[in-house]
Amino acid sequence: MPLHTDISYAVLAGQAVTNTGPTVLNGDLGISPNTGSSVTGFPPGIVYGAQHLGDGPAGTAQSDLGIAYVDAAGRSGVNVPGGLLGGNTYVSGVYNSASSLDLTGEVTLDGEGNPGAVFIFQAGSTLTTSAASNVRLVNGAQACNVFWAVGSSATIHPTSHFKGTILAQTSITVETGAEIEGRALARTGAVTLDSNTITVPSCAGAPGPTGAAGPTGAAGPAGPTGAAGPAGPTGAAGPAGATGAAGPAGATGATGPAGPAAPPGGGDHGGGDHGGGDHGGGKGKDDHGKGKKDDHGKGKKDDHGKGKKDDHGKGKKDDHGKGKKDNHGKGKKDDHGKGKKDDHGKGKKDDHGKGKKDNHGKGKKDNHGR
């Protein structure tokens, strides 16, 4: 139901607006045809909206109020028996009483899931609520769609919780502490208030179609760094690296232990000399006589006489007798007696006597003697 410019008014009167106490109006306050001198009690009353006191907008609002009243009161409706509303539940529609409407206790208005459900109540004379009465809205019913068309005056008793717009031909009285979610609009008379709260209702329509998607917004700031993840599996072994450069020379090692003692030297013409193994009857190889290898007499290895290492007789190093270097007796180099080179007697090369190669006498190879 259209209210036109009246939609923004919490209170509109034709003759006067009187307030007592800390009344709060959440909407506009207007009066017409009277002027601002007919409005009292603000403050202490507070108006959260515009105040149109006898001006053009207030006159327009009164005109629209007359139109709205005629519309609401002129609709056909269902009779409310005895005009008694309390304890009843009403769905969307028009309900009337030829005389008065009375609300004692609570009346329930059920929108049946339709937020656009409209409820119109028509009273031929008066509308009265008892103290602490309540209008309850359920299942989508909204105060913006509830209208009360009153043929004379409306009285809302103390601490009532009233819902809807009152369109009164004459006057409206809202007693101490009563609250209205709607409007108090009087065409010719006054509106009287006492420590009340009147709030212009907003009306939620049915959901519209889904709009087109908006443009993509800018990227938000980077979030904080997350916690470290678990360690991954061990990877395969990599290829062998190139051979590194040679390292520096190490320090000189410690001196090793002494080696074992050398064995006694051979080739002595002594205790294996040219004496007891010299040019006598030795048998050994290269013996001069019967001595062994290169023994001249009975001495051992290359011993000539009794001298030591390679001594022949008593001479020193490789001396045979008293001769010097490898002399046997007084002969020269490796001479045994007066013979020449390694000859013992008159034999030739290393022959001692008449024996053959290296035989001294008739002995076998390297034997000196037999």
Side-chain angles (χ1 to χ4, degrees), residues 269-271 273-276 278 296 303-308 311-315 319 321:
H269 306 283
D273 312 329
H274 303 283
D278 32 38
H296 306 281
D303 292 329
H304 307 281
K306 295 181 180 180
K308 291 184 181 181
D311 292 342
H312 304 279
K314 295 182 179 180
D319 292 328

Side-chain angles (χ1 to χ4, degrees), residues 141-167:
Q142 300 185 82
C144 63
N145 290 325
V146 178
F147 302 93
W148 306 84
V150 181
S152 60
S153 299
T155 302
I156 309 300
H157 282 97
T159 66
S160 292
H161 297 279
F162 195 78
K163 306 289 194 304
T165 297
I166 301 172
L167 309 171

Side-chain angles (χ1 to χ4, degrees), residues 242-323:
T243 303
T252 302
T255 302
D268 287 345
H269 306 283
D273 312 329
H274 303 283
D278 32 38
H279 307 284
K283 288 183 179 180
K285 187 178 181 180
D286 195 25
D287 293 320
H288 305 281
K290 293 182 179 179
K292 291 184 181 180
K293 185 179 180 182
D294 198 23
D295 290 340
H296 306 281
K298 294 181 180 180
K300 291 184 180 179
K301 187 178 180 182
D302 199 22
D303 292 329
H304 307 281
K306 295 181 180 180
K308 291 184 181 181
K309 185 178 181 182
D310 200 21
D311 292 342
H312 304 279
K314 295 182 179 180
K316 291 184 181 180
K317 184 177 181 182
D318 202 21
D319 292 328
H320 305 280
K322 294 181 180 180

